[in-house]
Amino acid sequence: MKYFLIPFLCTTFSLSIAGQEANVRPKIGLTLSGGGAKGLAHIGILKAIDSAGLKIDYITGTSMGAIMGSLYAAGYSGNEIERMARKIDWDVLLSNQISLPVLSMEEKEEYNRFNIELPYINKKIRLPSGVIKGQELDLKFSELFAPYYQIKDFNKFKIPFKCMATDLETGELVVLENGNITSAVRASMAIPSVFTDVTIDGKRLLDGGLVRNFPVKNVIEMGADYVIGSNVSSGLSKKDKINNPVDVILQLAFYKEALDFKEEVPLTDLYIYMPVEKYGTGSFGSSKQIINRGIEVGKKYYTQFKKLADSVALFPDTEIKQPASVSDDSVFIKEIEIAGLKKTTSSFFIHMMNFNTNQYYNSLTISKAIRRAYGSRYYNSITYTLENLGADSAKIIFEAEENPNTFLKAGIYYSKFRGINTNLNITSRDFLLGNSRSMISVSVGESMQMDASHFQYIGRNKSVAVVAKVNLERLYIETFDDFKQDGAYKQLFYKAAIDIQNSSNNRYSIGAGTSIEKVHFNPAISSVNEARGNFSSMKTYVFFKYNTLNKGFYPTRGVKINTELGRVYNQKPNVTLYQNGIPTGPAAISFDNYTRFYLDGLAHIPINASFNLFTEFQSGINFTNKPNPLNNFSIGGLNGYFRNQIKFAGFQEASLNSPSAVMLQAGLRYNVVNNLYLIGRFTSLLKDFVAINNGPAQASFLSGYALTFAYKSPIGPVELSMMYSDQSRKLQSYVTVGILFKKRSAFAPLFKSKLNCK
């Protein structure tokens, strides 16, 4: 029977068996092309190969094909790779973002507040070599390949493997077959101008797809007698598909590869083209659909894989390859080496990670330590390799690239309340003193705002900070009476504060501080009751902040709490009240000392992949029975603008004010597709439940609703909302575009109700 199969195999393998002994099993090679997100379709081929029981002897891949191929070569099955790919948060993995929970508390408020961040080095703005650095990608690969850290020769994987990269300096092909597998696959997928290049052995490497996106020649060189090639790339774009500068750059970049591709395809014995043309290289939002499409194609080729497996099985293996030696994921770290530090010290780096020798670590705990240091924003990237010292012990070698000391940032924002503004920021570390962060932010436009702060970290673990802050703001504020606009004010606000806080972990901070505030106001549109002048006050307070939200925008899980208890004192008024434009006598407004409490809590609970339940609780109470509308809490708006604001779905900002208010909001968010959301909110609010002038409390209940269409755009969230309140009985619109300058602002808006004068 065996001899009758020889002619069949000569045809099947597209090569002559002559010269080979009849009992030598032909070697099967697998080549997986690059193609960005489209490369996820390769999973379907891997699953079909597993189902057919076909043994692969060699694998080559480029870009996403290198990722899929390296995981399969290391020992993961097609099913395991599929499960991992479906669980990955691609938005986080393929971006410069790091998961919000791992940022230090002081960085969470500032992270992702600006659309553009550019390093400022040697008095020049430096453009990065790529948009995406890929810190999370490095960590994910390190976690996946952790059991194989001892293997530095890719030929010693369960299946020998090679991947392709391009030398940035010469433009020549670089075949990666040894070293750190994480660095190798990162280099292979470093699309120019998208990902930053990767340095290996002194060479700056980019995506191998620039010169060889379908490396069939290389799998043949490894010894493959029969080649299965899976291709997800549709080649160069047609002229009608080239619509922007990025398309032009990619077209030119991959021109050389297109010529090579014509030579590679004829070398395959079984060529599989994946019909995924409607997806792009960046279509990771459609990852599930791409994987499903690949599985459909894999099922169509199952019969051929099975026949091939059955035919090959008739040949005995003369070479029995042992599976890759896999260590337990845990490793005993005996030594630490840190490379790349120039401005920060080794002790600071280790303290930031809270990392120690002579302890067991696994890939997840190492990644957690790295994220902790990365969350300080002192480092641009942190990678590591493990050097085997025998007996499940190792030396860990960290390679750290520090962030430039100074960054320039910019963004835009629009709302009806603030108008359109350009937000600018300069952030510098160690500018005044070591272990510090100094920052100035300016919002320029229809409203004006300036924030300046200096964080001085102290203590062995740099978990304690002294914070000096200055805030200035100019606002135009409409005032309302019975839900109708009855005037407007121009308001100038000044604040200086100094805090001391402790953030022993990245979930919470606790502290105390003292501030001095001054507000100056003048009517812009006259009303029956007006106030002109200014007053100042001091406040001493304690605060607690807690944040485990997983994202800054549209989080799906976690809790956020901001609470403050303070004493307001030393109020110095210089205020004149008017009624119908005529100055009145002394006002029934108290500037006595009082205690103030504020709480804002938010929780997100995932229901499934598409639906998210969230609830928010806010409360503000001035513990005094003497009236002062100047210190009241502002009610209205879907976003937080004011220091004393209580949000309410149903009113515009500054629609009402009260010395005491408690709000409970429940909402449901539906992820329609990719970055499109539909959000429904119901809000209930109780106000005026603290008695004034020792009389009975005048508590009143409010209810409101909002329906929001939202899009997470490159410049930030774009939200179009319709609001309604049972009390105002008005349907109102609410529009915001971009990222808030900061979710806290000036003094409470002034008069939303009539002043009591006598």
Side-chain angles (χ1 to χ4, degrees):
M1 177 67 178
K2 186 183 301 183
Y3 297 103
F4 286 107
L5 282 169
I6 293 177
F8 166 76
L9 288 170
C10 287
T11 302
T12 303
F13 290 98
S14 301
L15 51 85
S16 175
I17 300 298
Q20 297 187 34
E21 296 182 10
N23 62 349
V24 175
R25 184 181 69 81
K27 301 300 175 66
I28 310 297
L30 175 64
T31 294
L32 305 177
S33 79
K38 296 188 290 185
L40 293 169
H42 292 313
I43 292 173
I45 299 302
L46 300 177
K47 285 170 61 73
I49 287 172
D50 285 346
S51 297
L54 178 62
K55 178 181 177 181
I56 301 298
D57 296 283
Y58 307 105
I59 299 179
T60 58
T62 299
S63 196
M64 184 59 80
I67 298 173
M68 300 291 106
S70 61
L71 291 171
Y72 193 71
Y76 289 98
S77 68
N79 285 331
E80 289 171 330
I81 296 172
E82 179 192 7
R83 283 196 295 271
M84 291 186 294
R86 290 188 185 275
K87 290 180 180 179
I88 286 174
D89 186 338
W90 295 101
D91 284 343
V92 172
L93 194 68
L94 297 172
S95 72
N96 286 328
Q97 300 178 22
I98 194 165
S99 181
L100 194 67
V102 306
L103 288 169
S104 59
M105 281 297 294
E106 60 268 25
E107 294 297 336
K108 289 183 180 183
E109 295 183 4
E110 303 299 326
Y111 195 57
N112 279 345
R113 276 185 47 222
F114 298 90
N115 311 118
I116 300 172
E117 294 191 15
L118 296 175
Y120 187 74
I121 305 172
N122 296 328
K123 300 181 180 180
K124 294 181 180 179
I125 296 176
R126 179 78 57 86
L127 295 177
S129 61
V131 176
I132 300 172
K133 183 67 183 178
Q135 174 68 57
E136 274 298 306
L137 200 60
D138 284 327
L139 292 180
K140 176 57 69 175
F141 287 158
S142 295
E143 292 169 12
L144 295 175
F145 290 110
Y148 311 96
Y149 80 89
Q150 298 183 35
I151 302 174
K152 303 302 180 184
D153 182 353
F154 305 161
N155 287 310
K156 294 182 179 179
F157 279 147
K158 184 177 180 181
I159 303 172
F161 169 76
K162 293 182 181 180
C163 62
M164 310 298 121
T166 303
D167 189 320
L168 176 60
E169 183 178 6
T170 65
E172 297 300 319
L173 176 70
V174 177
V175 180
L176 299 171
E177 53 188 329
N178 52 55
N180 183 357
I181 185 63
T182 295
S183 298
V185 294
R186 271 283 288 110
S188 185
M189 63 166 293
I191 300 172
S193 299
V194 178
F195 289 95
T196 54
D197 54 82
V198 178
T199 300
I200 297 178
D201 295 332
K203 296 181 179 180
R204 295 176 62 184
L205 304 181
L206 290 171
D207 193 330
L210 294 170
V211 290
R212 185 161 294 171
N213 198 47
F214 195 44
V216 179
K217 293 176 183 176
N218 301 90
V219 82
I220 293 174
E221 291 172 358
M222 293 175 75
D225 301 310
Y226 184 91
V227 178
I228 301 170
S230 177
N231 175 39
V232 299
S233 176
S234 54
L236 294 176
S237 301
K238 302 296 183 183
K239 61 182 180 180
D240 60 334
K241 300 294 184 181
I242 304 173
N243 301 314
N244 56 61
V246 175
D247 291 340
V248 174
I249 292 172
L250 292 177
Q251 184 82 343
L252 294 174
F254 289 97
Y255 182 75
K256 183 177 180 181
E257 185 279 329
L259 298 176
D260 181 77
F261 183 76
K262 295 178 180 179
E263 299 177 6
E264 302 288 339
V265 172
L267 298 177
T268 60
D269 298 284
L270 178 58
Y271 176 69
I272 301 170
Y273 176 70
M274 286 285 179
V276 287
E277 301 92 342
K278 71 176 184 178
Y279 303 105
T281 56
S283 299
F284 288 96
S286 302
S287 59
K288 294 178 181 179
Q289 294 90 326
I290 294 172
I291 293 171
N292 292 339
R293 187 69 180 121
I295 291 173
E296 292 173 7
V297 174
K299 289 178 179 178
K300 294 179 181 179
Y301 282 89
Y302 168 79
T303 302
Q304 294 184 59
F305 293 155
K306 181 62 176 171
K307 288 180 180 179
L308 187 57
D310 291 343
S311 300
V312 171
L314 297 174
F315 289 84
D317 265 325
T318 57
E319 176 187 352
I320 301 176
K321 180 178 174 59
Q322 296 296 326
S325 58
V326 178
S327 68
D328 189 277
D329 194 14
S330 295
V331 60
F332 188 76
I333 301 297
K334 280 188 175 181
E335 300 177 24
I336 299 176
E337 180 181 318
I338 305 167
L341 298 182
K342 298 177 181 177
K343 294 174 289 190
T344 57
T345 64
S346 296
S347 60
F348 178 83
F349 181 82
I350 292 172
H351 289 157
M352 279 293 178
M353 290 198 303
N354 194 21
F355 201 89
N356 299 288
T357 55
N358 298 317
Q359 290 188 15
Y360 277 97
Y361 288 90
N362 59 31
S363 60
L364 294 179
T365 54
I366 295 174
S367 292
K368 182 178 180 181
I370 289 175
R371 289 187 177 101
R372 188 182 297 115
Y374 186 68
S376 71
R377 303 301 304 276
Y378 270 90
Y379 304 99
N380 189 28
S381 69
I382 303 172
T383 59
Y384 74 94
T385 56
L386 293 169
E387 185 178 293
N388 184 27
L389 297 179
D392 289 329
S393 64
K395 173 183 179 181
I396 190 165
I397 303 170
F398 292 105
E399 180 71 34
E401 180 184 335
E402 294 167 319
N403 267 323
N405 279 352
T406 303
F407 275 87
L408 303 179
K409 309 175 186 180
I412 61 171
Y413 181 75
Y414 167 80
S415 71
K416 178 182 177 182
F417 181 74
R418 278 196 171 275
I420 187 166
N421 292 268
T422 299
N423 301 331
L424 305 172
N425 171 278
I426 179 169
T427 299
S428 186
R429 298 183 185 277
D430 304 337
F431 176 66
L432 298 176
L433 295 169
N435 301 321
S436 68
R437 185 198 72 186
S438 303
M439 180 179 65
I440 298 177
S441 299
V442 179
S443 181
V444 182
E446 296 181 48
S447 61
M448 301 289 290
Q449 187 172 352
M450 187 278 285
D451 285 353
S453 66
H454 177 78
F455 273 78
Q456 185 63 55
Y457 305 96
I458 57 178
R460 178 177 179 272
N461 292 323
K462 306 300 181 289
S463 58
V464 177
V466 177
V467 188
K469 297 180 286 186
V470 175
N471 311 120
L472 306 174
E473 184 167 40
R474 183 189 70 194
L475 278 177
Y476 177 90
I477 303 170
E478 295 177 348
T479 61
F480 296 83
D481 184 17
D482 194 23
F483 306 110
K484 296 179 181 178
Q485 183 183 353
D486 71 342
Y489 277 82
K490 290 181 180 179
Q491 179 176 282
L492 291 174
F493 172 76
Y494 314 85
K495 175 182 176 181
I498 186 164
D499 296 346
I500 183 167
Q501 68 177 46
N502 183 290
S503 303
S504 56
N505 65 38
N506 52 14
R507 293 190 172 197
Y508 71 87
S509 64
I510 187 169
T514 295
S515 67
I516 181 169
E517 302 176 358
K518 184 174 183 179
V519 61
H520 181 87
F521 41 88
N522 269 311
I525 299 177
S526 296
S527 61
V528 174
N529 299 288
E530 296 177 347
R532 300 171 187 261
N534 61 76
F535 77 99
S536 63
S537 65
M538 295 190 69
K539 180 176 67 173
T540 297
Y541 48 88
V542 294
F543 61 87
F544 174 76
K545 298 179 181 180
Y546 181 84
N547 191 337
T548 60
L549 296 179
N550 64 329
K551 297 179 182 179
F553 304 120
Y554 308 120
T556 57
R557 63 181 181 276
V559 173
K560 182 179 180 180
I561 298 172
N562 287 327
T563 185
E564 178 186 287
L565 178 64
R567 182 70 174 171
V568 179
Y569 58 95
N570 198 29
Q571 298 191 74
K572 296 181 178 179
N574 182 17
V575 180
T576 302
L577 303 181
Y578 295 82
Q579 193 169 52
N580 294 317
I582 301 173
T584 64
I589 297 179
S590 170
F591 288 96
D592 292 348
N593 301 342
Y594 68 96
T595 300
R596 174 186 179 276
F597 173 76
Y598 178 77
L599 171 66
D600 186 358
L602 173 68
H604 281 265
I605 303 170
I607 299 176
N608 55 37
S610 299
F611 286 92
N612 184 263
L613 181 67
F614 63 92
T615 182
E616 184 167 10
F617 177 83
Q618 278 187 292
S619 178
I621 304 173
N622 290 335
F623 291 97
T624 175
N625 62 6
K626 298 179 180 180
N628 185 342
L630 303 178
N631 288 331
N632 279 355
F633 293 91
S634 168
I635 298 173
L638 298 180
N639 294 296
Y641 293 104
F642 296 97
R643 181 203 64 171
N644 285 354
Q645 183 177 358
I646 303 294
K647 289 179 276 188
F648 187 84
F651 300 148
Q652 303 289 344
E653 286 83 2
S655 292
L656 296 170
N657 79 350
S658 172
S660 55
V662 59
M663 181 275 290
L664 179 63
Q665 177 176 264
L668 183 66
R669 187 179 69 229
Y670 172 54
N671 187 186
V672 181
V673 61
N674 295 343
N675 293 319
L676 294 177
Y677 301 89
L678 192 63
I679 307 169
R681 296 179 176 91
F682 166 71
T683 305
S684 59
L685 185 142
L686 184 67
K687 73 181 187 72
D688 298 330
F689 52 83
V690 172
I692 301 295
N693 289 332
N694 298 311
Q698 302 288 323
S700 58
F701 177 80
L702 305 172
S703 54
Y705 318 85
L707 183 64
T708 301
F709 172 80
Y711 171 61
K712 189 166 67 173
S713 75
I715 63 170
V718 177
E719 297 187 349
L720 310 175
S721 304
M722 296 301 297
M723 305 188 301
Y724 179 80
S725 167
D726 294 316
Q727 286 67 45
S728 69
R729 297 184 180 180
K730 292 181 179 180
L731 187 65
Q732 302 183 61
S733 62
Y734 193 92
V735 180
T736 61
V737 178
I739 304 170
L740 276 168
F741 180 75
K742 212 164 189 180
K743 286 192 175 181
R744 74 99 198 93
S745 187
F747 217 85
L750 298 178
F751 305 108
K752 276 66 70 180
S753 58
K754 292 181 180 179
L755 289 169
N756 295 317
C757 305
K758 63 180 182 179

